[in-house]
């Protein structure tokens, strides 16, 4: 079975440019999470979707960040304009439903470097 | 307040020996789930093992077992017969209640397995 798919795996861009990160969840998983990982702050939950609807975006750091899930098979996280402090690894994770016992499965992550 | 505490920033173990990675948690919710993830140097987050608060027995998955002591609020990961490939960061995480609650991660423990 294919796991969570993220693209690109690595992205290097210059400050001010738009960055789009992509995620394809595991088939049948109804919940999708975007995380950011940095050395300083560890793993932070940015936003969560359930059945394609954003449920909690309180972790999105600024208006420069936006996320969409147009269908059950695809989600994007966009940063516009990007800044050097956005450099991090961005993970997409999915799970079957909305139960406390559900396991989240992570994608391989996108390593973003903003120069 | 920190809900998940991993007090060991780093651990060393020799190949073929067992190692215990500590995790304590804080919650007043009687229903919760505890998770362990492995993050090798390649960066991906790999789900290892899950323990529910109502589970009567300690969870086991191959060489991984979870030493669940509910009264002490600890959920230590035990890796038996360590292998060189076990060298990685290990994260403990907790989700409270039923329905959506955030998966809260600890700061991680870096395990180094030596030959």
């Amino acid at each position: 079975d294919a796991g969570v798919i993220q693209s690109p795996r690595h992205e290097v861009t210059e400050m001010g440019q738009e960055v789009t990160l992509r995620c394809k969840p595991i088939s049948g998983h109804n919940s999708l999470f975007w995380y950011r990982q940095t050395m300083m702050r560890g793993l932070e939950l940015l936003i969560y979707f359930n059945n394609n609807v954003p449920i909690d975006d309180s972790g999105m750091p600024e208006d420069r960040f936006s996320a969409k899930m147009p269908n059950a098979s695809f989600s994007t996280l966009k940063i516009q304009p990007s800044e050097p402090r956005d450099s991090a690894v961005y993970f997409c994770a999915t799970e079957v439903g909305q139960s406390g016992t559900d396991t989240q499965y992570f994608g391989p992550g996108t390593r973003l470097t903003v120069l | 307040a920190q809900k998940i505490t991993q007090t060991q920033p780093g651990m060393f173990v020799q190949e073929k020996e067992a190692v215990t990675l500590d995790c304590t948690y804080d919650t007043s919710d009687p229903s919760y789930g505890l998770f362990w993830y492995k993050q090798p140097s390649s960066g991906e987050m790999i789900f290892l093992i899950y323990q529910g608060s109502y589970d009567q027995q300690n969870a086991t998955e191959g060489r991984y077992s979870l030493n669940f002591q509910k009264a002490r609020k600890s959920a230590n990961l035990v890796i038996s017969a360590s292998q060189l490939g076990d060298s990685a960061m290990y994260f403990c995480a907790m989700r409270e209640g039923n329905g959506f609650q955030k998966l809260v991660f600890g700061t991680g423990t870096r395990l180094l397995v030596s030959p």
Side-chain angles (χ1 to χ4, degrees), chain A residues 71-85:
Chain A
N71 57 61
S73 303
F74 185 64
S75 177
T76 60
L77 177 68
K78 186 177 291 187
I79 308 172
Q80 166 63 21
S82 58
E83 296 182 3
R85 59 195 169 116

Side-chain angles (χ1 to χ4, degrees), chain B:
Chain B
Q2 187 76 322
K3 291 203 168 188
I4 292 284
T5 302
Q6 295 181 254
T7 57
Q8 307 155 313
M11 288 285 285
F12 295 88
V13 67
Q14 231 171 356
E15 204 176 4
K16 300 180 185 176
E17 293 186 349
V19 63
T20 298
L21 306 184
D22 294 342
C23 173
T24 58
Y25 58 92
D26 182 27
T27 181
S28 57
D29 197 318
S31 175
Y32 53 89
L34 297 156
F35 304 80
W36 277 91
Y37 287 85
K38 172 184 178 182
Q39 187 174 39
S41 57
S42 50
E44 68 267 34
M45 292 283 286
I46 303 166
F47 166 70
L48 293 178
I49 195 167
Y50 163 80
Q51 179 84 45
S53 59
Y54 295 119
D55 292 344
Q56 295 295 314
Q57 293 187 324
N58 287 345
T60 60
E61 287 287 348
R63 295 186 299 109
Y64 303 109
S65 60
L66 205 151
N67 184 1
F68 182 44
Q69 299 189 36
K70 200 168 182 177
R72 292 187 175 184
K73 294 187 176 179
S74 74
N76 299 338
L77 177 70
V78 180
I79 306 174
S80 63
S82 297
Q83 301 173 356
L84 296 179
D86 294 334
S87 295
M89 281 288 286
Y90 289 81
F91 292 94
C92 180
M94 177 179 67
R95 167 179 273 168
E96 295 170 305
N98 297 312
F100 175 67
Q101 295 288 337
K102 292 180 181 180
L103 190 59
V104 178
F105 286 85
T107 52
T109 295
R110 183 171 297 280
L111 175 66
L112 183 61
V113 181
S114 59

